[in-house]
Amino acid sequence: MIENAYSIAELMACVMARNLEDGEVAVMGAVSMIPMAACRMSQLTHAPNLSYISGGSGAVNPFLDPLVFSSCDEENLRSEAALALPDVILLEGHGKRFDVFFGGGLQIDQYGNCNLICIGDWKNPSLRGPGTVGLPFLPRSGRVIIYTTSHNARTLIEKVDFNSGPGFLDGPESWASKNLPGNGPALVVTPLCALDFDEETKIMRLKSLHPGVTVDQVVESTGFKLVIPNSVPTTPEPTQIELEALRRVDPSGIVRNLL
Amino acid sequence: MIENAYSIAELMACVMARNLEDGEVAVMGAVSMIPMAACRMSQLTHAPNLSYISGGSGAVNPFLDPLVFSSCDEENLRSEAALALPDVILLEGHGKRFDVFFGGGLQIDQYGNCNLICIGDWKNPSLRGPGTVGLPFLPRSGRVIIYTTSHNARTLIEKVDFNSGPGFLDGPESWASKNLPGNGPALVVTPLCALDFDEETKIMRLKSLHPGVTVDQVVESTGFKLVIPNSVPTTPEPTQIELEALRRVDPSGIVRNLL
Amino acid sequence: MERTSKVMPVSQAIQRFMPDTCDTLAVGGMHMHNNPMALIREVIRQQKKVKRLVTSPSACINADLMIGSGLVEEILTAYVGFEHLGLAPNFRKAVEKKTIKLLEADEPFLVYGLQAGAGGLPFIPYPKGLELTDIPKVNPDLYRFTTDPYTGEEVMTAAPIKPSVALIHCQEADPYGNAIFKGSEFTDRQMIFASDVVILQVETIVPNLAEKYGSTKVNVPGFLISAVVEAPFGCHPTSSHGYYTFDEAHLKSYLKSCKNPEAYGEYFQQYVTGISEKEYSGKIGLDKLNAMRQKGDVSFYD
Amino acid sequence: MERTSKVMPVSQAIQRFMPDTCDTLAVGGMHMHNNPMALIREVIRQQKKVKRLVTSPSACINADLMIGSGLVEEILTAYVGFEHLGLAPNFRKAVEKKTIKLLEADEPFLVYGLQAGAGGLPFIPYPKGLELTDIPKVNPDLYRFTTDPYTGEEVMTAAPIKPSVALIHCQEADPYGNAIFKGSEFTDRQMIFASDVVILQVETIVPNLAEKYGSTKVNVPGFLISAVVEAPFGCHPTSSHGYYTFDEAHLKSYLKSCKNPEAYGEYFQQYVTGISEKEYSGKIGLDKLNAMRQKGDVSFYD
């Protein structure tokens, strides 16, 4: 018997997993415990032909029983195949290899641009972040799933201080003018809600509220004006099947205890 | 006891081997039985720290006991290390990785330019050759050792019909103007003689005559005016030590029976 | 839900994944090694046309047989030959008689071009000195020049190569297309990464490939593979590294057959068009094939 | 004549092959894995200065410790951090306080740049779309633009990276420098190919490495290696793939020590400058180190 109580990080994993389709190929970078769990649980439930590459390790379809913290951990290499990092970079550059790229940032703006570089001016930052690693590949990926464990008005802001992971740039005109191979940001998953992007304005839109969260709470925690539909559904709770798969992937509760 | 009679191809291998120094790194392409034997015998005699890469196989320091015909044969992989072909191309492009590149051609001209493409005009060739493979890297290699098993006036000609492996180009001025990382052709080994290049004119120069060969014979067999020094020594015959090493490398006589 | 196997018969793989006229076909293998002959023979049987054939830096019977079949309009290559056995007769004839268009290239062009194709790079600039051959003069479409923004100097470039289909031989794969090269990879892995569709032939299908060899040896990810064809001895008459050596006698008989059209027709009838791929190994003789199995310690490559 | 071994003690390797002021130093390892810490600690002990430090796309304590030592003038990197353990304190402080010059890069810049350096390529042009970040604006020396000669479009370029010295960890090497990565290679093999001088630290020296693993697994050729240093547990507190995992408690204590200068000085005294590299594993405790050995089936990676 699986305990039915779930954590918010587990719900976030389920929201991501539901967005993944059978046969797709996904890739993720560092500190990606939730996306890794989402991919692996999807393989065990509705998407047995999903493939995913665990960041810098180059591992293709890690078995991840159990899940580990580090994207470059050798445990990832208990996998179907493994690529040297330069090969992963080839795949990321190709433009048609990845259906899904998981991204995030210190800041995420209304158009889904991400920033892993700094808060404030680059020359004189109030906070120096770690650096952007592979996020510049976002415009060459099928679609981008953005996630953050901090839904607040400092993280979700109107415009990133530094664009290190392009989303819809300055909005629909600038995006369209670039004619990029990727389809841009598609989904944002936070501890409060799931969001997508308005087709016309390319501005982030509330998609579903996690159980117990209100629209006001989301609005207050967001640093820009979200698109709010007339009726916003509640994010479905994890099903028994989802929880079973998730806890098989993550028996030690790495995701479960993350938030 | 080693039989002291030697074949011309064996003598050619010895001439090449004597040109290789301890600690150097050499590379060769297809149909390279003589250079491969020369490298391997050098390791067993005077150059234990010589390294060599056997063409397309990517094998580093094949043990080659015995020698094989094909540069891409799996037997080459009985070696110290092995690289994927794109890695060999990186090394060839670097400009400081290889001290020696073994080259050759359907035609070799007075400035050491090689041609593996065609006889006659490219658009209307009287003979279509196989293609040039890696010879364009010659100007980025420390020095080039050219060899041919056909010393005649059709092979050694004044100007190649198609330059697919640059030597000293159109002579000293054009060579100097290019300021290349390599030092150009250094040695030519044929069944009749060894040749080097005049320091000033960059024209091929008779260096030593194989036993029993005359200057006239070489001149008649060469399609351009060689530089002939006043006195031309005879190529020293293989020593007992050289023959022992060579036959250890090539017990089945692949090189021995080549010519 | 069940995971979908990509394993299928050779006829189905070619039928399904290769268009009747293929824009750019890449064939793997280098010299007389790892040539995906089972796939190539089937392409000829099914009379699929090829607008542009791309080879490794050193092609052999893989290209020569296809050219001999008359299905190839143009070829991008740096070498077609039979190494110590001599020139490639059909390639030579077709170029000399101008029945094929030749896109002359050097080895780095193919390596750089495939890498650019694989990585979405617009081109690869050459190291200085490689522009000194006559090749850029005869292939100005693919060899071009631009400015090095760091030095201001002019540099030669290689165009990206993006094959529509690649035919590749790996020694072993799992049913999902994850695969290994037991010996040399040549440019085959690059072709896999650069191509839209990859049809793989293998000696053996191994369900738990990564457990057998360790995942880091399995460097062909299954998601790049469209079909897996089990074709034991499928490289014959070329070698399959770690499995068997090349059939020198057969290659010589092929070369000899090319000297007159009747003999070539007979070779074609006997080994290609007149039989199915299933019948091929029987035609060669299983005893003979087994005798070519690598005699030495193949575990050396494991 | 005898072949010359490249094996030497860590102190000798750094003394002999690293200049007192190193133009460009590349350090291998990614995140908390395969960091060549034995070599790095020795570089700090010998107070070798570094004009430019180049890291893998994700550096960790390898870069942070060197920055903390005050020896680094500028850094070319795409990330310095401790993954799930948080930000890199010395890197962050040095950038915020401008005591280091930062050459901001992204992951592909490092991969492309090392490849260009390794292959003598003048630069690598980026795939379209990667010019859309703000990085090229803040690093115009290294990110430049040229014309794609096939389309006429403007493309962004990555400059070649050619480190004067690289410090790299491989799991095993033979005495001549032929070496293997048991797990992931990250960008370490590229650094080896791009650098003028490579100092290698290994867990174990294995005389017949190619016989043990098969030559195709041995993809670091000895002729690129200047010195081989045997340094068991030499990656501590980071992991060595296939040998041992990272020491999370130690990494956390390092991060904590960075919060005040006294504690950091004490850490330095205790683990770096106050002891020789030989004493390091004793300081950590061999029992503890052995307990971190990979528990699972490491033969999976063989």
Side-chain angles (χ1 to χ4, degrees):
Chain A
M1 262 301 286
I2 292 283
E3 209 195 311
N4 279 317
Y6 59 89
S7 77
I8 281 298
E10 285 183 319
L11 182 65
M12 288 173 68
C14 292
V15 172
M16 290 179 194
R18 291 165 194 163
N19 193 269
L20 299 172
E21 284 178 35
D22 195 31
E24 290 191 323
V25 185
V27 67
M28 62 218 61
V31 203
S32 290
M33 293 81 86
I34 304 177
M36 283 156 86
C39 286
R40 186 69 184 120
M41 72 178 274
S42 295
Q43 289 180 329
L44 299 174
T45 55
H46 65 286
N49 298 293
L50 177 86
S51 293
Y52 72 108
I53 295 189
S54 172
S57 71
V60 180
N61 292 337
F63 301 126
L64 287 182
D65 307 318
L67 191 67
V68 288
F69 276 106
S70 175
S71 61
C72 292
D73 201 285
E74 62 184 353
E75 290 295 330
N76 287 293
L77 296 174
R78 299 181 196 277
S79 60
E80 277 181 21
L83 301 172
L85 189 59
D87 288 340
V88 179
I89 298 299
L90 289 179
L91 293 168
E92 289 182 340
H94 182 280
K96 284 183 186 165
R97 296 304 187 206
F98 292 118
D99 301 289
V100 177
F101 199 120
F102 287 94
L106 301 167
Q107 295 178 330
I108 299 153
D109 75 15
Q110 60 178 343
Y111 294 121
N113 300 300
C114 298
N115 170 17
L116 267 168
I117 299 278
C118 59
I119 308 293
D121 180 51
W122 182 81
K123 282 189 184 155
N124 199 19
S126 64
L127 170 73
R128 171 64 211 189
T132 199
V133 204
L135 282 191
F137 280 116
L138 294 185
R140 294 188 70 82
S141 307
R143 70 179 182 280
V144 180
I145 299 181
I146 298 171
Y147 64 103
T148 177
T149 54
S150 321
H151 192 147
N152 60 51
R154 276 166 300 126
T155 301
L156 290 157
I157 61 163
E158 193 171 329
K159 193 171 166 51
V160 285
D161 291 340
F162 192 107
N163 192 345
S164 81
F168 290 120
L169 306 168
D170 296 322
E173 291 81 21
S174 72
W175 172 256
S177 74
K178 298 297 178 191
N179 194 23
L180 295 159
N183 296 314
L187 180 69
V188 183
V189 187
T190 82
L192 298 182
C193 60
L195 308 110
D196 56 10
F197 291 82
D198 182 74
E199 288 76 10
E200 254 180 62
T201 63
K202 301 293 184 194
I203 290 177
M204 213 183 280
R205 174 173 66 188
L206 189 54
K207 188 176 183 238
S208 74
L209 292 159
H210 297 344
V213 178
T214 64
V215 171
D216 283 353
Q217 212 179 326
V218 170
V219 167
E220 274 165 32
S221 308
T222 303
F224 57 89
K225 201 171 170 318
L226 283 169
V227 177
I228 314 272
N230 289 338
S231 113
V232 181
T234 302
T235 311
E237 300 199 342
T239 66
Q240 187 71 15
I241 288 170
E242 285 173 331
L243 275 188
E244 270 173 32
L246 191 48
R247 287 172 191 177
R248 182 174 144 196
V249 173
D250 183 27
S252 59
I254 288 180
V255 165
R256 188 174 203 185
N257 301 317
L258 202 63
L259 295 178
Chain B
M1 262 298 288
I2 291 285
E3 208 196 313
N4 279 315
Y6 60 88
S7 78
I8 282 297
E10 285 183 318
L11 182 65
M12 288 172 68
C14 293
V15 172
M16 290 179 193
R18 291 165 194 163
N19 193 269
L20 300 171
E21 284 177 36
D22 195 33
E24 291 191 322
V25 185
V27 67
M28 63 218 61
V31 204
S32 290
M33 293 82 86
I34 303 177
M36 282 156 87
C39 287
R40 185 70 183 119
M41 71 178 275
S42 296
Q43 289 180 329
L44 299 174
T45 56
H46 66 285
N49 297 294
L50 177 87
S51 292
Y52 72 108
I53 295 189
S54 172
S57 72
V60 180
N61 293 337
F63 301 127
L64 287 182
D65 307 319
L67 191 68
V68 288
F69 277 104
S70 174
S71 61
C72 292
D73 201 286
E74 62 185 354
E75 290 294 329
N76 286 292
L77 296 174
R78 300 181 195 278
S79 60
E80 277 182 21
L83 301 173
L85 189 61
D87 288 340
V88 179
I89 298 299
L90 288 179
L91 294 168
E92 290 183 338
H94 182 279
K96 285 184 186 164
R97 295 303 186 208
F98 292 118
D99 301 291
V100 177
F101 199 120
F102 288 93
L106 301 167
Q107 295 178 329
I108 300 153
D109 75 16
Q110 60 177 345
Y111 293 122
N113 300 299
C114 298
N115 170 18
L116 267 168
I117 299 279
C118 60
I119 308 293
D121 179 50
W122 182 81
K123 283 191 186 155
N124 199 19
S126 64
L127 172 72
R128 171 63 211 189
T132 199
V133 204
L135 283 190
F137 281 116
L138 294 185
R140 294 187 71 81
S141 307
R143 70 179 181 281
V144 180
I145 299 182
I146 298 171
Y147 64 103
T148 178
T149 54
S150 322
H151 191 146
N152 60 51
R154 276 166 299 128
T155 303
L156 291 157
I157 60 161
E158 193 171 329
K159 193 170 168 52
V160 285
D161 291 339
F162 193 107
N163 192 345
S164 82
F168 291 119
L169 306 168
D170 296 321
E173 290 80 23
S174 71
W175 173 256
S177 74
K178 298 298 177 189
N179 193 24
L180 295 158
N183 296 313
L187 179 70
V188 183
V189 187
T190 82
L192 298 182
C193 61
L195 307 110
D196 57 10
F197 291 82
D198 182 75
E199 287 76 11
E200 256 180 60
T201 63
K202 302 292 185 195
I203 289 177
M204 213 182 279
R205 175 173 66 187
L206 189 54
K207 188 176 184 238
S208 74
L209 291 159
H210 297 344
V213 178
T214 64
V215 171
D216 283 353
Q217 214 179 326
V218 170
V219 168
E220 274 164 34
S221 308
T222 304
F224 59 89
K225 202 172 169 321
L226 284 169
V227 178
I228 314 272
N230 288 337
S231 112
V232 182
T234 301
T235 312
E237 300 199 342
T239 66
Q240 187 70 15
I241 287 170
E242 286 173 331
L243 276 187
E244 270 174 30
L246 191 47
R247 287 173 190 178
R248 184 175 142 195
V249 173
D250 183 27
S252 59
I254 288 180
V255 164
R256 189 175 202 186
N257 301 317
L258 202 62
L259 295 178
Chain C
M1 272 181 80
E2 279 291 307
R3 198 163 171 192
T4 316
S5 165
K6 293 177 177 173
V7 179
M8 61 188 75
V10 63
S11 54
Q12 193 186 332
I14 299 299
Q15 211 154 14
R16 188 162 149 202
F17 289 107
M18 185 146 164
D20 288 338
T21 298
C22 184
D23 266 353
T24 306
L25 178 71
V27 290
M30 188 141 160
H31 289 300
M32 48 208 59
H33 310 283
N34 291 9
N35 288 202
M37 296 310 296
L39 299 178
I40 287 170
R41 284 187 291 259
E42 187 62 23
V43 165
I44 297 173
R45 278 183 206 107
Q46 294 191 22
Q47 289 288 298
K48 303 276 189 180
K49 289 192 170 44
V50 176
K51 212 167 160 327
R52 181 179 293 182
L53 183 67
V54 178
T55 75
S56 83
S58 293
C60 184
I61 190 169
N62 47 1
D64 200 67
L65 190 72
M66 286 211 66
I67 294 169
S69 75
L71 297 168
V72 181
E73 205 171 303
E74 57 184 44
I75 182 168
L76 172 61
T77 190
Y79 173 105
V80 188
F82 283 70
E83 212 174 357
H84 60 288
L85 304 179
L87 297 174
N90 287 309
F91 170 70
R92 185 187 158 184
K93 205 185 320 172
V95 176
E96 289 175 4
K97 294 199 189 299
K98 303 184 186 62
T99 56
I100 198 168
K101 183 179 172 194
L102 172 62
L103 299 162
E104 190 83 53
D106 50 23
E107 182 170 29
F109 184 92
L110 296 167
V111 172
Y112 297 160
L114 287 169
Q115 201 206 342
L121 309 170
F123 60 91
I124 297 277
Y126 269 79
K128 187 179 161 183
L130 277 83
E131 72 285 356
L132 297 172
T133 74
D134 289 328
I135 297 173
K137 292 176 205 156
V138 300
N139 193 354
D141 265 7
L142 298 182
Y143 285 78
R144 295 201 180 167
F145 292 85
T146 190
T147 306
D148 176 346
Y150 301 96
T151 64
E153 282 180 35
E154 188 180 60
V155 292
M156 188 167 74
T157 62
I161 301 173
K162 297 185 163 195
S164 5
V165 180
L167 309 177
I168 304 290
H169 174 80
C170 283
Q171 277 70 31
E172 298 173 18
D174 71 16
Y176 314 111
N178 299 294
I180 63 146
F181 294 95
K182 285 199 97 174
S184 299
E185 299 176 4
F186 307 123
T187 45
D188 292 0
R189 219 164 67 83
Q190 286 195 303
M191 284 180 177
I192 290 172
F193 275 69
S195 300
D196 292 340
V197 166
V198 179
I199 306 173
L200 208 64
Q201 67 165 52
V202 299
E203 299 293 337
T204 323
I205 289 162
V206 177
N208 295 310
L209 195 63
E211 273 186 40
K212 182 176 173 189
Y213 290 104
S215 63
T216 58
K217 176 75 181 165
V218 186
N219 59 11
V220 174
F223 61 79
L224 295 178
I225 306 301
S226 299
V228 178
V229 173
E230 193 168 39
F233 294 107
C235 293
H236 184 273
T238 73
S239 90
S240 172
H241 271 198
Y243 267 81
Y244 46 85
T245 188
F246 58 95
D247 187 342
E248 187 158 318
H250 186 102
L251 287 170
K252 282 179 175 166
S253 80
Y254 170 80
L255 291 173
K256 205 176 156 194
S257 84
C258 294
K259 288 189 179 159
N260 77 71
E262 266 160 61
Y264 192 64
E266 201 182 302
Y267 180 93
F268 243 68
Q269 178 62 25
Q270 219 179 335
Y271 297 111
V272 189
T273 45
I275 60 169
S276 74
E277 194 52 37
K278 254 191 180 159
E279 295 166 294
Y280 183 86
S281 56
K283 194 87 189 176
I284 304 299
L286 263 178
D287 285 356
K288 204 181 141 196
L289 288 171
N290 280 317
M292 290 192 306
R293 276 191 189 281
Q294 181 58 15
K295 282 161 218 143
D297 174 23
V298 296
S299 72
F300 196 71
Y301 313 121
D302 290 354
Chain D
M1 274 180 80
E2 279 290 308
R3 199 164 172 194
T4 315
S5 165
K6 293 176 177 174
V7 178
M8 62 187 74
V10 63
S11 55
Q12 193 187 331
I14 299 299
Q15 211 155 11
R16 190 164 147 200
F17 289 106
M18 187 148 162
D20 288 340
T21 299
C22 185
D23 266 353
T24 306
L25 177 71
V27 291
M30 187 140 160
H31 289 300
M32 49 209 57
H33 309 284
N34 290 8
N35 288 202
M37 296 310 296
L39 299 177
I40 287 169
R41 286 188 289 259
E42 187 63 23
V43 164
I44 297 173
R45 280 182 205 108
Q46 296 192 20
Q47 289 288 297
K48 304 275 190 180
K49 290 191 170 47
V50 176
K51 212 169 159 324
R52 180 177 295 181
L53 183 67
V54 178
T55 76
S56 83
S58 293
C60 184
I61 190 169
N62 47 3
D64 200 68
L65 190 73
M66 286 211 65
I67 294 169
S69 75
L71 297 169
V72 181
E73 205 171 303
E74 58 184 42
I75 183 168
L76 173 61
T77 189
Y79 174 104
V80 188
F82 284 70
E83 212 174 358
H84 60 288
L85 304 179
L87 296 174
N90 287 310
F91 168 71
R92 184 186 160 185
K93 204 186 319 170
V95 175
E96 289 175 4
K97 294 199 187 302
K98 303 185 187 61
T99 57
I100 198 168
K101 183 179 172 194
L102 171 63
L103 299 163
E104 190 83 54
D106 50 23
E107 182 170 30
F109 184 93
L110 296 167
V111 172
Y112 298 160
L114 287 169
Q115 201 206 343
L121 309 170
F123 60 92
I124 297 277
Y126 269 78
K128 188 180 161 182
L130 277 84
E131 71 286 356
L132 297 172
T133 75
D134 289 328
I135 297 174
K137 292 177 203 152
V138 301
N139 194 355
D141 266 5
L142 298 182
Y143 285 78
R144 295 201 181 166
F145 292 84
T146 190
T147 306
D148 175 344
Y150 301 96
T151 63
E153 282 181 33
E154 189 180 59
V155 290
M156 188 166 74
T157 63
I161 302 173
K162 297 185 164 198
S164 5
V165 180
L167 309 178
I168 304 290
H169 174 79
C170 282
Q171 277 71 29
E172 298 173 19
D174 71 17
Y176 314 111
N178 299 293
I180 62 146
F181 294 96
K182 286 200 99 174
S184 298
E185 300 178 4
F186 306 122
T187 45
D188 292 1
R189 219 164 67 82
Q190 286 196 303
M191 284 181 177
I192 290 172
F193 274 69
S195 300
D196 292 340
V197 165
V198 179
I199 307 173
L200 207 64
Q201 67 165 51
V202 298
E203 299 293 338
T204 324
I205 289 162
V206 177
N208 295 309
L209 194 64
E211 273 187 40
K212 183 175 173 189
Y213 290 103
S215 62
T216 57
K217 177 76 180 163
V218 186
N219 60 11
V220 174
F223 61 79
L224 295 179
I225 306 301
S226 299
V228 179
V229 172
E230 194 169 38
F233 294 107
C235 294
H236 185 274
T238 73
S239 89
S240 172
H241 272 197
Y243 269 81
Y244 45 86
T245 188
F246 57 96
D247 187 343
E248 186 158 319
H250 186 104
L251 287 171
K252 282 178 173 166
S253 80
Y254 169 82
L255 291 173
K256 203 175 159 196
S257 83
C258 295
K259 289 188 177 158
N260 77 71
E262 266 159 62
Y264 193 63
E266 203 183 302
Y267 180 93
F268 242 68
Q269 178 62 23
Q270 219 178 337
Y271 296 111
V272 189
T273 45
I275 59 169
S276 73
E277 195 52 38
K278 256 194 180 157
E279 294 166 294
Y280 183 86
S281 55
K283 195 87 189 176
I284 304 300
L286 264 177
D287 284 358
K288 202 181 141 195
L289 288 171
N290 280 318
M292 290 193 308
R293 275 190 190 281
Q294 182 57 15
K295 281 161 218 140
D297 173 23
V298 295
S299 72
F300 195 72
Y301 313 120
D302 289 354

